[in-house]
Structures are given as structure tokens and as C-alpha cells.
Amino acid sequence: VQLQASGGGLVQTGGSLRLSCAASGRTFSRSRSALAWFRQGLGKEREFVAAVSGIGGRAIYADSVKGRFIMSGDNVENMVYLQMNSLKPEDTARYYCAADSASWRTSTNWKTYNYWGQGTLVTVSS
């Protein structure tokens, strides 16, 4: 399974960015895999951002991004997106998409995800 994240960049406080993650691989099954976004700021621990289950339904979000970020997906193209609005300097981090190929259930624990993309850097200037 390969995950390719893109869409990061530099944005001012209050701005928006849309991250994309493409999942591929012969063994990847969207319906059997939960997908998630995590982030890690410089010198900080990896932090859960959002996740969606393999069977679809509503995404779950960290309290810090609820109401500002929206995770969505295109199951036909095996893509997931993270629309980030009203960005704040504290959102600055490298954002990673992750897949749990062993379970369609969402989890906020990064240790349950067994595939990771390379990350895309988001910088929010004040």
C-alpha cells in the first residue's frame, strides 16, 4: 500500500488549504481500511487530526480542528482530502495521511495505522 500526500504550503492566518492523499496498491481495499490524517509539529508529538472508516460515514475530528477542518473521500479514486479552513499558526505541522489495512474502524491512536504517506508541510504565518 502506498500513500501519497500533497497540497501543503504557506498560508496566512485565517486562510485555507486542501490536502490530498492518494492510496494505491494491489492489496489496498478502501472498504476494509480506515484512513486518517495526523500531524506533527516541530518538537511535538504526532497528533490525531481526522479519520474516516472504511465503510464511510461521518469523519471524526480532533477537538482542536473541529468546525474548521473537513475530511472527505472519493472511494472510486481511492482519494481522501482534508479541507482546512480558518487556519491558525498552531496548525503549522507536517501532515501525514495514514491507513489501517487491518480494520475499517476509525482510531485516534497513530499506532493502529500500518501505512503512512511521506507527509506534506503546512505552515501558517501570523
Side-chain angles (χ1 to χ4, degrees):
V1 176
Q2 292 83 43
L3 300 172
Q4 181 72 38
S6 61
L10 174 64
V11 64
Q12 291 185 333
T13 296
S16 297
L17 280 175
R18 188 194 195 207
L19 305 184
S20 300
C21 177
S24 62
R26 288 188 303 154
T27 59
F28 179 73
S29 170
R30 178 63 189 96
S31 63
R32 292 199 293 267
S33 304
L35 293 171
W37 289 97
F38 287 81
R39 66 186 182 186
Q40 189 165 17
L42 193 63
K44 298 181 180 180
E45 294 185 353
R46 197 172 311 186
E47 176 187 20
F48 169 76
V49 177
V52 64
S53 73
I55 60 172
R58 293 182 178 181
I60 60 171
Y61 299 94
D63 288 343
S64 58
V65 307
K66 202 172 292 184
R68 300 187 297 122
F69 290 12
I70 301 172
M71 183 175 182
S72 61
D74 181 338
N75 287 354
V76 175
E77 298 293 334
N78 285 339
M79 296 286 295
V80 287
Y81 307 97
L82 187 68
Q83 177 67 42
M84 305 186 296
N85 302 318
S86 302
L87 283 162
K88 305 175 181 180
E90 51 264 43
D91 294 318
T92 294
R94 182 168 291 275
Y95 284 71
Y96 298 88
C97 60
D100 178 0
S101 64
S103 174
W104 56 267
R105 299 179 187 274
T106 54
S107 170
T108 62
N109 185 349
W110 67 268
K111 294 180 181 179
T112 67
Y113 293 86
N114 55 341
Y115 290 100
W116 292 82
Q118 84 290 357
T120 184
L121 184 62
V122 172
T123 303
V124 184
S125 63
S126 57

